[in-house]
Amino acid sequence: MAISPTLRRRHLSSLLREAREKRGLTAKWVAEKAKERSGRERGWSESKLNRLESGVWKRVRAEDITVLLDIYGITAPDERATYLTLVREAMQKGWWASYSDVLGTGEFVGLEAEASRIRTFESAAIPGLLQTEDYARALMRDSEQIGSSASLDRRVQARMLRQQILNQSSPPDFHTVIDESVLLRITPELAGQLDHLWEASHRPHTDIRILPLSRGPHAAMTGQFVILDFPLPNQPVVYLEALAEEIYLDKPEEIDRYQRIYEYLRDQALSPEDSRDLIHTLRLSLNEKRHD
């Protein structure tokens, strides 16, 4: 499984926050002690420590982490090595760094790259990991963020590269519930997307379920979401995407809420076999229209 600098950064930040809170220390006190120890008047502040603990940083120095470990009394060589290894790995760059012009920080892609299980509910579009190039291009073409054909091409390329995680030797378990309305909006010109979805439904690590319109109102009508699970000791993350921002939820109560919503949707959806049959019926119908 690929190393994700994004996940390493989040894990390092979580460990630093837990280490301070476990000892009952305030961020202000720790920052003052760090300033004394490092001898750099402008090097430390409460806001800097808050950024380190929340993962809102682009670069981190091993010497800064060493100062914090000393303050927290973390002296065991193995434990200190764990922190410093995370520092080194957090500073690596994933493939998405070269697509920062269209992916921004690439935080979601970085987390997705190391997830052991991905659960998603989609109410408006086919999941990105299952989109064909033509379908992805059609979705992105009218986006206000697209300023040129070159930008559109790079966004589509990045989406196709994301899909490589499903083809690796140990792919994540991918589970998705897709609202039936998503399938009904696919035009004959994009019928290949239904062919691709039907083929994907046969993959051993993929579970595709369609939520039929006949089920009526449901708990997730406000929009799609993604639950990312990781190998221990990393905690799950819920990802919500709005037009202008990305939201990450990692509090236990938030994760539990979305897990319960997903299980409800999964139970309301058609079985994988019935979902496959529905996809097959729709793909045959679209292919007939395409050839008329």
Side-chain angles (χ1 to χ4, degrees), residues 181-199:
S181 63
V182 173
L183 306 185
L184 298 178
R185 281 195 294 269
I186 297 177
T187 62
E189 293 76 19
L190 297 174
Q193 176 61 71
L194 285 178
D195 293 336
H196 182 66
L197 193 63
W198 182 78
E199 293 168 0

Side-chain angles (χ1 to χ4, degrees), residues 14-33:
S14 177
L15 287 178
L16 291 173
R17 184 177 64 254
E18 290 173 2
R20 178 180 61 79
E21 293 177 346
K22 182 179 180 180
R23 290 159 178 80
L25 306 175
T26 66
K28 181 178 181 180
W29 186 89
V30 172
E32 289 297 324
K33 285 297 181 181

Side-chain angles (χ1 to χ4, degrees), residues 36-236:
E36 294 174 6
R37 287 174 176 267
S38 64
R40 291 182 285 113
E41 287 297 317
R42 296 184 179 180
W44 281 96
S45 65
E46 185 177 355
S47 62
K48 173 179 177 175
L49 183 59
N50 288 333
R51 289 195 300 273
L52 283 175
E53 292 184 352
S54 62
V56 186
W57 46 269
K58 293 183 178 180
R59 297 189 61 83
V60 63
R61 295 191 292 187
E63 63 185 77
D64 286 342
I65 302 305
T66 298
V67 167
L68 293 177
L69 296 179
D70 291 341
I71 293 173
Y72 299 149
I74 298 175
T75 59
D78 289 348
E79 191 172 1
R80 291 174 74 92
T82 296
Y83 280 87
L84 297 179
T85 297
L86 286 173
V87 170
R88 184 175 64 255
E89 293 178 346
M91 294 311 299
Q92 296 177 5
K93 291 185 177 181
W95 64 262
W96 48 91
S98 61
Y99 285 85
S100 59
D101 56 325
V102 294
L103 291 178
T105 63
E107 182 169 3
F108 174 72
V109 180
L111 293 173
E112 183 182 67
E114 200 167 352
S116 56
R117 181 173 62 166
I118 301 171
R119 290 171 289 172
T120 175
F121 168 67
E122 297 292 340
S123 61
I126 298 296
L129 292 178
L130 298 178
Q131 292 177 7
T132 63
E133 184 173 337
D134 287 342
Y135 183 87
R137 187 176 298 276
L139 282 180
M140 299 176 185
R141 186 177 292 122
D142 296 329
S143 170
E144 294 180 359
Q145 298 179 5
I146 300 299
S148 66
S149 59
S151 177
L152 174 59
D153 288 342
R154 284 184 59 76
R155 284 171 63 89
V156 173
Q157 289 170 7
R159 182 152 299 181
M160 295 301 103
L161 285 172
R162 280 175 52 200
Q163 298 180 4
Q164 292 181 359
I165 65 171
L166 297 182
N167 299 318
Q168 60 191 10
S169 57
S170 297
D173 289 325
F174 183 75
H175 299 251
T176 184
V177 175
I178 305 173
D179 195 281
E180 184 182 3
S181 63
V182 173
L183 306 185
L184 298 178
R185 281 195 294 269
I186 297 177
T187 62
E189 293 76 19
L190 297 174
Q193 176 61 71
L194 285 178
D195 293 336
H196 182 66
L197 193 63
W198 182 78
E199 293 168 0
S201 70
H202 291 81
R203 296 175 183 170
H205 293 275
T206 301
D207 185 297
I208 299 175
R209 299 172 187 249
I210 307 303
L211 182 65
L213 293 173
S214 60
R215 293 291 192 266
H218 56 77
M221 292 187 69
T222 54
Q224 64 269 23
F225 60 88
V226 182
I227 305 172
L228 301 163
D229 294 293
F230 308 98
L232 294 174
N234 302 286
Q235 298 300 310

